[in-house]
Amino acid sequence: MEGLIEDSTFNAEMPEVVAPSVSSAAKIVSLSRSVPDLVKNDPEAARALARLKRANPKAVRARKCLIISEPHARLREFSRDIYQYHIKTTVPWGDLGARLLPNANLIDYQNQMETYDNEFGAMKQKFLDDYPRAAAAAQMELGELYDESLFPTVAELAPKIKFRVDYDYIADPDNFYVQIGDQAEAVVKQQYTEVLESRMGAVSDYIFKKLREPLTNLVARIDYDDTDKPSGFRDTIVDNVAEIVELMGKCNFNNDPKIERLKISLRNALTGVTPDGLRASVTLRDQTKQNVQQIINELPTLGF
């Protein structure tokens, strides 16, 4: 797999590294995006359907799309793509939706989000330009299900279509000053340190969980010999693991030795491994399967 390994030679001993402070190595990033789906429940239609099919009205639901608009569909899909990029390049931080972005990814992330922002704005305008046509056509398309009161005006709709990214710093416990006395300050600092440690542990757990799926999929897909029908797999089967390996290195803020060992083991296991090579060689498939399965066995269980 070209591009994954810069140096295929690794020492048997763990390298000595200095773990950076998470406050200096990452930022908190929050993504906010909104594109109304313009789908509404219709209780009256549900009751009519229940009568027609002799069903219990409480067991029937009816939902109707207010408009049929290609620019609207593309905008919603693009919003989902933005979210997927955000999730792929960050890790969870707390329970309220914030994510942690390694500074090593910061420039690329900011550049990509700026590009997304420009594209989102252009696609939003295309949809708003198309909306009056789509809303007018809805009367014909919905027939007796049409209800004019459900359709917002363009002025009402525009502010509901949003895209925003916010960045924030992580406070350093060593610079955590409050004007409440030395003893109280020590208590608050200890509490905050415990929160940081808990969240860092959650980052490690997230990486282990995120790693398990592509590794398990890799083993399953290459588990066949020359007498079997090939299982078939995409060219991204190795790249999916490579992305997690890169994230592991960038997000190991507390220098977790388990993550470092797994990262090195994965790099060794995948050196020279390509999708075409796996398809062509039963020997490479067997060796890769054994190496990757051993790594899976070393993953923390985390409830699995």
Side-chain angles (χ1 to χ4, degrees):
M1 182 182 55
E2 297 180 1
L4 174 62
I5 308 300
E6 295 181 359
D7 184 357
S8 60
T9 303
F10 295 92
N11 296 325
E13 298 181 357
M14 290 290 295
E16 182 179 354
V17 294
V18 177
S21 164
V22 65
S23 61
S24 64
K27 287 183 175 60
I28 299 172
V29 59
S30 300
L31 171 66
S32 174
R33 75 201 207 292
S34 172
V35 181
D37 61 7
L38 296 176
V39 175
K40 298 292 183 181
N41 290 322
D42 193 326
E44 183 179 346
R47 288 191 293 269
L49 179 60
R51 288 194 300 270
L52 179 65
K53 296 297 182 179
R54 298 177 181 176
N56 185 339
K58 295 181 179 180
V60 179
R61 297 289 184 272
R63 287 169 62 81
K64 59 187 177 185
C65 296
L66 296 184
I67 63 170
I68 299 175
S69 167
E70 194 62 33
H72 178 244
R74 286 197 296 267
L75 180 60
R76 285 181 53 78
E77 182 179 1
F78 185 60
S79 177
R80 290 190 291 268
D81 290 343
I82 295 172
Y83 176 75
Q84 290 302 321
Y85 172 80
H86 173 69
I87 293 298
K88 185 172 69 173
T89 53
T90 60
V91 293
W93 189 249
D95 302 322
L96 300 178
R99 309 278 294 186
L100 200 62
L101 174 68
N103 283 347
N105 284 352
L106 180 60
I107 299 301
D108 289 342
Y109 181 92
Q110 288 179 322
N111 289 340
Q112 184 61 68
M113 284 300 176
E114 183 177 353
T115 299
Y116 282 154
D117 190 20
N118 293 333
E119 293 179 16
F120 187 91
M123 294 177 72
K124 172 182 176 178
Q125 189 57 54
K126 285 184 179 179
F127 165 52
L128 292 177
D129 291 343
D130 183 60
Y131 177 71
R133 177 210 60 79
Q139 188 167 4
M140 179 75 69
E141 290 161 347
L142 289 173
E144 293 182 5
L145 297 178
Y146 179 78
D147 181 352
E148 184 179 4
S149 67
L150 296 177
F151 290 80
T153 65
V154 173
E156 293 169 336
L157 184 59
K160 297 180 180 180
I161 304 173
K162 298 176 287 187
F163 169 69
R164 176 173 175 172
V165 181
D166 293 311
Y167 302 87
D168 200 2
Y169 292 93
I170 303 171
D172 188 337
D174 290 331
N175 295 314
F176 199 85
Y177 298 115
V178 288
Q179 303 300 319
I180 53 177
D182 292 343
Q183 183 176 359
E185 179 181 337
V187 171
V188 172
K189 178 179 176 180
Q190 177 62 30
Q191 291 173 340
Y192 180 66
T193 300
E194 290 174 357
V195 169
L196 281 183
E197 291 175 351
S198 174
R199 290 184 177 179
M200 289 308 303
V203 168
S204 297
D205 291 349
Y206 173 82
I207 291 174
F208 292 137
K209 289 180 181 179
K210 195 171 180 65
L211 183 60
R212 183 178 293 271
E213 182 178 353
L215 289 182
T216 303
N217 180 62
L218 176 59
V219 168
R221 292 297 182 180
I222 64 177
D223 187 17
Y224 65 93
D225 58 31
D226 289 341
T227 63
D228 297 325
K229 180 180 179 181
S231 61
F233 51 82
R234 298 180 179 179
D235 287 344
T236 56
I237 193 168
V238 181
D239 289 342
N240 290 339
V241 179
E243 289 179 355
I244 307 301
V245 173
E246 182 179 3
L247 190 65
M248 288 171 70
K250 292 178 178 178
C251 292
N252 192 13
F253 305 113
N254 58 349
N255 194 26
D256 188 328
K258 296 188 296 293
I259 290 181
E260 191 66 23
R261 281 195 299 270
L262 284 168
K263 183 183 72 174
I264 292 175
S265 296
L266 279 168
R267 284 186 168 180
N268 285 336
L270 297 177
T271 298
V273 176
T274 65
D276 288 340
L278 290 171
R279 295 186 182 101
S281 171
V282 65
T283 302
L284 181 61
R285 290 198 299 273
D286 286 343
Q287 186 61 56
T288 302
K289 182 180 69 175
Q290 293 176 19
N291 292 340
V292 173
Q293 184 60 56
Q294 182 176 351
I295 293 170
I296 293 174
N297 295 339
E298 294 174 0
L299 288 173
T301 56
L302 301 178
F304 288 96

